[in-house]
């Protein structure tokens, strides 16, 4: 196989269309990462955890000697990173040259561990992978899961690179289809006949290997030209061992030895690797609990095979396939504020903590009266007259009751479909839209009064931003949102003596392990928004509502 530098890739030949949809497929990388536990890497082609590779993505044009043999039962690929890339930092773009891969590099080390332990991994492809024989794009498939493979061979070799030495060390991996999972989904049985080698145990490897006389390391017979030591630290690495040119570097255009491309015997794999399809969220989540981590995951459609993010909440208990609209429902129970009162918070301070170099000063604490008793207010003055931050605490269980009741109403109205939570695209990426990490509901278009408010079990905050009218609904369609807005405005009046009239509320639901607690925090002044960043990090399930005031002077 001829190697082409990145700028000289040949045109992709026309492929026949995909006959059927893959058993597991997606249209965006986020759908893969949120719905398929074997691959959760938003960047890079190797997903590993605890020094073991779980998933490997095949993409783009092949490197030299990458192969798709025996209909895809034997796949040879380069992997492990350190390719030439563009680096973006502080507004500047620089080119990072390709460098040698090392056995101790994280991805390479993890792949070597899979090889030594005979642990299967999931192979995935995208529609740019040139060696796959069918056109995924003909059915609007961007990513597809091939199945489980084991690492049959590992070796290192030199490849041409655009750097000072003109070459780099690259590790190559030969992946073997695990026969225990059945016939590969893309192969038509009537058009393909294959004779399977006999199975053998993991303690025996049937391959032609030779021990190097210099480094005493074992290397397989990979190339037709001669046996070659494939250990990078050996002085005979990538050098000919036979004939007049013995000791010289190997020439370009090497061919694999015919025996090396034979399909290796299928190995006995550990139990649990025969079925690659993801479990349904309803099978992994505790009964009735829909606000934990499992509730945030996508799901695999049994009808069409599509992996779908949990992107729209027409009803709180439902998942829905983004391709065929196949629904998945589950029963739910309400989360009461008392269920989360005693959760330990991941902080080392009680109410607030000021950085010594921030130049923010704290005023004396004061109290105020509300319908449930007496509350406290802590005020902070920002430098250079950029604004104030007021931390308002209800202080008593009676003061929390109204927020607790609203917390329940949000859940009830979400369950009935009255209040629709949805994940909106944050930005366009190269492979589909990237959805927010939370569910939100926007009521009435508006502009912003500078205030961040956190009330008991609910978090209400505002920021300088505009929402499209298409993403908003009238207040009268979501009673819980109206009550949240009313509570925000009342607490501001009671604590600060300010009559705030908000005309937009953005409600956000955060599930377990998601990030962006109960008091009221008011940010007063445009400078707060212009010069400071703020965030709310909820602990477990929370609902946040952003209250805003938008008028004609806010653009």
């Amino acid at each position: 196989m001829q190697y082409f530098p990145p700028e000289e890739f040949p045109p992709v030949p026309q492929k026949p269309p995909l006959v059927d949809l893959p058993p597991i497929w997606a249209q965006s990388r986020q759908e893969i990462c949120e719905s398929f536990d074997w691959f959760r890497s938003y960047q890079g082609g190797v997903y590993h955890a605890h020094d073991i590779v779980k998933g490997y993505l095949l993409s783009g044009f092949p490197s030299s000697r990458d192969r798709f043999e025996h209909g895809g039962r034997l796949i040879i690929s380069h992997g492990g990173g350190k390719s030439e890339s563009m680096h973006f930092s502080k507004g500047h773009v620089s080119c990072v040259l390709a460098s040698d891969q090392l056995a101790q590099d994280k991805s390479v080390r993890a792949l070597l561990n899979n090889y030594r332990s005979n642990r299967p991994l999931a192979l995935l492809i995208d529609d740019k992978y040139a060696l796959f024989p069918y056109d995924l794009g003909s059915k609007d498939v961007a990513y597809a899961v091939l199945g489980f493979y084991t690492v049959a061979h590992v070796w290192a070799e030199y490849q041409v690179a655009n750097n000072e030495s003109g070459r780099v060390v690259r590790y190559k991996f030969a992946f073997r289809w695990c026969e225990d999972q059945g016939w590969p989904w893309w192969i038509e049985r009537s058009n393909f006949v294959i004779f399977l080698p006999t199975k053998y145990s993991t303690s025996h490897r049937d391959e032609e290997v030779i021990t190097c006389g210099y480094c005493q390391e074992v290397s397989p017979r990979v190339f037709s030209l001669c046996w070659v030591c494939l250990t990078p630290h050996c002085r005979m690495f990538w050098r000919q061992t036979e004939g007049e040119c013995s000791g010289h570097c190997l020439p370009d255009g090497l061919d694999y030895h015919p025996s090396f491309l034979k399909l290796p015997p299928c190995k006995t794999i550990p139990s649990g690797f025969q079925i690659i399809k993801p479990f349904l969220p309803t099978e992994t989540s505790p009964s009735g609990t829909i606000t934990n981590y499992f509730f945030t995951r996508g799901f695999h459609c049994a009808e069409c095979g599509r992996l779908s993010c949990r992107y729209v909440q027409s009803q709180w208990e439902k998942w829905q396939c983004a391709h065929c609209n196949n629904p998945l429902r589950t029963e739910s129970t309400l989360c009461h504020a008392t269920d989360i009162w005693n959760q330990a918070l991941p902080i080392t301070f009680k109410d607030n903590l000021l950085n010594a170099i921030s130049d923010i000063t704290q005023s004396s604490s004061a109290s105020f009266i509300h319908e449930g008793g007496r509350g406290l207010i802590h005020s902070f003055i920002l430098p250079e007259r950029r604004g104030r931050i007021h931390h308002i605490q209800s202080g008593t269980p009676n003061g929390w009751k109204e927020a607790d009741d609203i917390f329940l109403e949000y859940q009830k109205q979400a369950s009935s479909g009255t209040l629709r939570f949805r994940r909106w695209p944050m930005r366009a990426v190269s492979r589909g839209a990237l959805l927010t990490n939370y569910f939100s509901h926007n009521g009435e278009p508006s502009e912003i009064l500078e205030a961040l408010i956190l009330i008991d079990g609910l978090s209400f905050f505002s920021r300088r931003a505009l929402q499209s009218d298409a993403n908003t609904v009238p207040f009268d369609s979501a009673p819980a949102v109206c009550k949240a807005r009313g509570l925000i405005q009342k607490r501001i009046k009671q604590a600060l003596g300010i009559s705030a009239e908000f005309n937009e509320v953005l409600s956000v639901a955060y599930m377990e392990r998601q990030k962006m607690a109960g008091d009221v925090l008011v940010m007063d002044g445009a400078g707060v928004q212009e010069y400071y960043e703020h965030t709310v990090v909820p602990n477990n399930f929370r609902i946040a509502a952003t209250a805003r005031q938008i008028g004609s002077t806010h653009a």
Side-chain angles (χ1 to χ4, degrees):
M1 180 177 293
Q2 186 176 1
Y3 171 75
F4 292 90
E7 68 277 5
E8 299 179 12
F9 284 136
V12 179
Q14 188 72 25
K15 296 181 179 181
L18 197 62
V19 178
D20 297 308
L21 285 171
I24 308 174
W25 63 280
Q27 287 188 348
S28 74
R29 189 139 175 167
Q30 188 175 27
E31 290 173 344
I32 291 285
C33 295
E34 291 190 3
S35 311
F36 188 64
D37 285 338
W38 293 97
F39 193 86
R40 298 180 60 188
S41 174
Y42 283 87
Q43 296 179 345
V46 181
Y47 172 59
H48 56 87
H50 308 295
D51 264 354
I52 292 292
V53 173
K54 300 186 68 176
Y56 187 105
L57 175 64
L58 298 163
S59 177
F61 287 92
S63 180
S64 57
R65 290 177 292 281
D66 281 5
R67 303 292 283 267
F68 194 87
E69 296 290 321
H70 303 282
R73 277 189 165 89
L74 181 67
I75 298 176
I76 298 176
S77 174
H78 65 293
K82 293 193 173 180
S83 299
E84 180 179 341
S85 62
M86 303 304 295
H87 180 69
F88 298 86
S89 177
K90 298 181 180 180
H92 298 284
V93 181
S94 59
C95 179
V96 179
L97 298 179
S99 58
D100 290 340
Q101 291 178 340
L102 305 174
Q104 57 266 35
D105 291 345
K106 289 182 178 180
S107 294
V108 175
R109 184 178 66 212
L111 283 163
L112 288 171
N113 286 337
N114 283 68
Y115 171 68
R116 297 183 185 113
S117 63
N118 193 45
R119 185 180 179 89
L121 54 87
L123 277 193
L124 301 85
I125 61 171
D126 67 10
D127 54 0
K128 295 181 178 180
Y129 180 54
L131 296 184
F132 190 67
Y134 297 101
D135 179 15
L136 295 181
S138 64
K139 288 193 176 295
D140 294 326
V141 173
Y143 296 89
V145 177
L146 295 183
F148 283 130
Y149 286 72
T150 54
V151 183
H153 302 289
V154 179
W155 70 97
E157 60 180 50
Y158 274 131
Q159 291 189 354
V160 178
N162 182 26
N163 59 9
E164 292 182 359
S165 63
R167 63 184 185 180
V168 290
V169 174
R170 285 288 176 262
Y171 277 83
K172 305 281 279 193
F173 303 89
F175 300 102
R176 169 62 160 98
W177 170 264
C178 296
E179 299 294 340
D180 291 348
Q181 62 192 325
W183 194 267
W185 56 265
W186 62 91
I187 297 179
E188 296 184 50
R189 299 194 187 199
S190 59
N191 297 333
F192 200 92
V193 177
I194 189 167
F195 297 95
L196 297 179
T198 305
K199 287 188 177 182
Y200 61 86
S201 67
T202 58
S203 62
H204 175 69
R205 295 185 182 276
D206 184 19
E207 57 187 13
E208 183 183 351
V209 296
I210 298 178
T211 300
C212 177
Y214 290 90
C215 66
Q216 302 303 310
E217 296 287 344
V218 172
S219 295
R221 174 68 183 269
V222 177
F223 306 112
S224 293
L225 179 64
C226 61
W227 175 87
V228 179
C229 180
L230 300 175
T231 304
H233 65 260
C234 180
R235 70 174 187 174
M236 288 300 293
F237 173 65
W238 207 246
R239 295 183 180 276
Q240 299 185 50
T241 57
E242 300 174 6
E244 297 179 355
C245 296
S246 179
H248 292 194
C249 287
L250 293 175
D252 295 332
L254 290 172
D255 294 323
Y256 287 116
H257 192 277
S259 64
F260 186 75
L261 292 181
K262 289 181 179 179
L263 191 65
C266 49
K267 305 170 185 177
T268 302
I269 62 174
S271 61
F273 288 91
Q274 287 76 26
I275 301 176
I276 198 170
K277 290 183 179 180
F279 291 106
L280 294 176
T282 51
E283 297 174 334
T284 54
S285 177
S287 177
T289 304
I290 64 170
T291 58
N292 61 14
Y293 169 73
F294 300 101
F295 181 76
T296 68
R297 307 297 293 157
F299 91 112
H300 174 244
C301 178
E303 298 294 328
C304 69
R306 171 78 179 268
L307 297 174
S308 298
C309 293
R310 189 167 176 78
Y311 73 101
V312 61
Q313 302 297 99
S314 57
Q315 289 187 350
W316 194 249
E317 307 96 337
K318 187 174 73 173
W319 285 259
Q320 185 168 315
C321 177
H323 179 71
C324 68
N325 296 323
N326 176 40
L328 173 66
R329 300 178 185 275
T330 182
E331 297 297 324
S332 65
T333 57
L334 297 178
C335 177
H336 294 260
T338 53
D339 298 335
I340 56 180
W341 275 357
N342 296 322
Q343 290 176 351
L345 298 177
I347 55 176
T348 57
F349 58 91
K350 183 179 179 182
D351 294 322
N352 55 71
L353 179 66
L354 286 179
N355 192 316
I357 63 173
S358 67
D359 291 332
I360 299 175
T361 59
Q362 181 176 0
S363 302
S364 299
S365 300
S367 63
F368 69 98
I369 301 297
H370 55 74
E371 69 283 354
R374 182 177 295 274
L376 291 175
I377 178 170
H378 310 277
S379 296
F380 305 87
I381 303 173
L382 305 182
E384 300 184 25
R385 305 181 68 178
R386 289 173 176 168
R388 296 170 180 263
I389 296 176
H390 307 286
H391 182 193
I392 304 171
Q393 297 176 306
S394 297
T396 65
N398 286 337
W400 303 331
K401 185 178 184 306
E402 186 175 354
D404 294 344
D405 293 340
I406 295 173
F407 184 57
L408 288 176
E409 284 201 45
Y410 261 102
Q411 297 175 70
K412 292 177 182 178
Q413 292 171 24
S415 295
S416 66
T418 303
L419 182 64
R420 297 191 63 184
F421 280 99
R422 184 186 186 115
R423 295 173 69 186
W424 298 98
M426 285 195 303
R427 57 185 174 86
V429 292
S430 59
R431 309 314 310 271
L434 182 64
L435 302 177
T436 59
N437 198 34
Y438 52 83
F439 300 98
S440 64
H441 169 278
N442 204 29
E444 295 287 359
S446 61
E447 300 173 27
I448 300 168
L449 177 68
E450 332 295 345
L452 171 60
I453 310 167
L454 310 174
I455 301 185
D456 303 321
L458 299 175
S459 302
F460 305 92
F461 73 94
S462 67
R463 61 186 177 221
R464 188 176 291 275
L466 283 174
Q467 293 289 334
S468 167
D469 290 351
N471 297 342
T472 61
V473 297
F475 277 128
D476 56 14
S477 68
V481 177
C482 294
K483 291 184 179 181
R485 179 183 60 165
L487 180 56
I488 295 172
Q489 295 173 163
K490 181 170 64 175
R491 283 289 186 268
I492 292 177
K493 179 66 175 178
Q494 292 168 338
L496 301 178
I498 298 174
S499 297
E501 294 292 335
F502 297 104
N503 58 8
E504 182 185 70
V505 175
L506 173 63
S507 301
V508 179
Y510 294 96
M511 306 304 164
E512 185 183 57
R513 302 189 200 177
Q514 289 187 325
K515 297 180 179 180
M516 209 21 250
D519 303 324
V520 179
L521 189 68
V522 179
M523 299 191 302
D524 181 15
V528 179
Q529 303 291 328
E530 185 175 355
Y531 295 101
Y532 293 87
E533 294 182 353
H534 64 268
T535 185
V536 175
V537 182
N539 191 46
N540 209 298
F541 172 56
R542 295 293 188 272
I543 295 178
T546 305
R548 300 168 174 168
Q549 171 62 47
I550 292 187
S552 58
T553 59
H554 296 83

